[in-house]
Amino acid sequence: MSVDATQAYDESNIFAKILRGEIPCEKVYEDEHALAFRDINPQAPIHVLVIPKGAYVSWDDFSVHADDAMIAGFVRAVGTVARNLELVAPGYRLLANVGQDAHQEVGHLHVHVFAGQKLGPMLAR
């Protein structure tokens, strides 16, 4: 089911539970602004999710409500994950789905990091 990105944050979403330690994850990075972990249903040989440590439904919600330190810290965390996984030279793709048309599945902002193979065109034709 796709998320309506205009709705209020739901504390029962799976990423909120991961942040609270209620559900385990295969962590690849963590700092005061973000947590990164391997996707349980990978769509590429390397598929990591990076989530901010705050209650943000989507990129839109985050860009409006997060403070400057959180925004900068989160963006830097995404870059740190890519560098730590040695993805810069071969290349990688970032994806953040927002709302129903984009098929956002979890109502917590998350950036997908895809790598480990040639990824093909940006959108399915």
Side-chain angles (χ1 to χ4, degrees):
M1 185 170 89
S2 295
V3 169
D4 180 346
T6 65
Q7 296 300 305
Y9 186 81
D10 178 0
E11 292 284 344
S12 68
N13 77 70
I14 191 168
F15 294 163
K17 291 178 181 180
I18 288 171
L19 283 172
R20 291 192 300 265
E22 297 169 10
I23 296 175
C25 68
E26 188 180 340
K27 187 185 325 181
V28 298
Y29 178 79
E30 184 173 19
D31 66 17
E32 66 271 20
H33 301 290
L35 173 66
F37 51 92
R38 298 202 183 274
D39 195 297
I40 62 169
N41 185 27
Q43 303 299 302
I46 298 169
H47 186 175
V48 172
L49 300 172
V50 187
I51 63 173
K53 289 186 170 179
Y56 307 104
V57 175
S58 67
W59 194 268
D60 181 68
D61 182 26
F62 182 69
S63 69
V64 170
H65 296 108
D67 63 27
D68 291 348
M70 173 60 85
I71 293 170
F74 180 68
V75 171
R76 285 190 175 110
V78 173
T80 298
V81 167
R83 285 188 303 280
N84 288 354
L85 294 174
E86 300 180 348
L87 304 178
V88 178
Y92 60 96
R93 177 173 295 159
L94 301 177
L95 174 70
N97 297 313
V98 177
Q100 295 175 338
D101 282 358
H103 199 67
Q104 181 180 355
E105 294 180 347
V106 178
H108 186 110
L109 169 61
H110 53 288
V111 172
H112 297 261
V113 180
F114 299 108
Q117 69 182 29
K118 293 196 182 300
L119 295 169
M122 189 163 38
L123 295 174
R125 304 267 183 236

